[in-house]
Amino acid sequence: MLENREGQRVPSVTFKTRQQGEWVDVKSHDIFAGKTVVVFSLPGAFTPTCSSAHVPRYNELAPVLKENGVDEVVCISVNDTFVMNEWAKEQKADRITFLPDGNGEFTEGMGMLVDKDDLGFGKRSWRYSMLVKDGVIEKMFIEPEKPGDPYEVSDADTMLGYINPNAKKPHDVMLFTRAGCPFCARAKGMLHERGMEFEEVAVGESVSVRAVRAATGADSVPQVFIDGQLVGGSDELAEWLSAREAA
């Protein structure tokens, strides 16, 4: 049975990190003392759920977490610093601090070191997250102990919901665009002006016109999706933004 350690202090360890080509020792005190820190720990760098969901969403919500009193968002895995550094680059997760727990000392101190021998991983961390204030664990979300790699409660949305259930999350925005399209430039400009992040899919490069037509029913670009709904082109986006600002 994995122990919930709310009310206890985090383990005192030294993380062996590599920064700008130099070895740098980072102690638990350096990370947690006098700060409010969100930690999420996972089985391994470059693994599917960790790379496709756990890290990306924490990176997306890091600004909102910080708006709600969090000083730092930390990802810990039983991997060495070279692996963690490369994973951070691959993920483009520059809002998160990646800490290598190469010897598993922090994870063992948390009581979260488990056997993943069946996958050839050896000792790894169970997936969990926690809110730590000045080195003391206020809240832990530990994934249920069942086969596989459950991912149900340690996610960024659950953590944000605990910290502030009414926190305003960023919209999920995606655009189909084409190079040289002035209407696409206008749509992106409107989003940039409002600080709204978006994903861009270039027609003719990443997808075909047929794919755009299948998704939107139209050949024209841009086609803007917000929170899973098709808004339309640049004019419709302007209307959507105006309505949102007037509300």
Side-chain angles (χ1 to χ4, degrees):
M1 178 69 69
L2 297 172
E3 180 186 354
N4 187 313
R5 301 203 171 190
E6 292 172 6
Q8 300 181 29
R9 299 196 67 82
V10 296
S12 179
V13 304
T14 298
F15 298 95
K16 298 291 184 179
T17 75
R18 191 80 172 171
Q19 301 178 27
Q20 298 180 341
E22 301 291 336
W23 286 103
V24 178
D25 285 351
V26 177
K27 299 182 182 299
S28 296
H29 182 272
D30 301 327
I31 297 295
F32 297 104
K35 294 188 289 186
T36 297
V37 181
V38 166
V39 175
F40 66 104
S41 190
L42 36 79
F46 294 101
T47 53
T49 301
C50 307
S51 296
S52 65
H54 216 172
V55 166
R57 189 56 171 166
Y58 268 104
N59 196 55
E60 288 174 6
L61 291 186
V64 186
L65 288 165
K66 291 179 179 179
E67 288 170 5
N68 285 274
V70 174
D71 295 303
E72 192 168 4
V73 179
V74 173
C75 174
I76 296 178
S77 181
V78 182
N79 289 109
D80 66 70
T81 185
F82 294 99
V83 170
M84 292 295 276
N85 287 351
E86 289 304 310
W87 191 36
K89 292 177 188 176
E90 188 268 342
Q91 287 282 296
K92 298 181 174 63
D94 55 359
R95 297 163 174 169
I96 297 172
T97 299
F98 286 73
L99 284 181
D101 188 23
N103 294 327
E105 294 171 354
F106 185 90
T107 303
E108 185 174 24
M110 285 295 302
M112 292 291 158
L113 195 65
V114 298
D115 284 316
K116 293 280 184 178
D117 293 347
D118 58 328
L119 298 175
F121 282 16
K123 298 283 189 180
R124 294 296 179 103
S125 176
W126 190 252
R127 195 184 297 274
Y128 69 95
S129 65
M130 60 182 175
L131 179 65
V132 183
K133 295 187 176 180
D134 194 22
V136 177
I137 303 165
E138 176 180 305
K139 181 66 177 177
M140 286 190 74
F141 294 100
I142 305 169
E143 294 297 341
E145 295 182 62
K146 57 185 183 182
D149 180 21
Y151 177 56
E152 301 174 13
V153 298
S154 62
D155 57 284
D157 292 271
T158 297
M159 179 60 73
L160 180 60
Y162 169 76
I163 294 172
N164 180 5
N166 299 314
K168 191 174 182 180
K169 298 178 185 179
H171 292 285
D172 294 320
V173 185
M174 189 278 283
L175 295 79
F176 287 116
T177 64
R178 191 192 302 276
C181 165
F183 302 104
C184 301
R186 179 188 176 215
K188 291 188 287 184
M190 288 187 286
L191 294 169
H192 280 306
E193 287 171 5
R194 291 160 177 82
M196 295 177 65
E197 297 182 352
F198 58 86
E199 296 286 336
E200 182 179 0
V201 178
V203 178
E205 297 178 14
S206 303
V207 301
S208 66
V209 173
R210 174 181 289 180
V212 176
R213 188 167 59 247
T216 69
D219 292 334
S220 60
V221 289
Q223 291 296 326
V224 184
F225 288 81
I226 300 179
D227 296 332
Q229 300 294 318
L230 174 61
V231 172
S234 57
D235 289 340
E236 291 78 13
L237 174 61
E239 293 174 6
W240 186 93
L241 293 169
S242 296
R244 175 175 174 265
E245 291 164 354

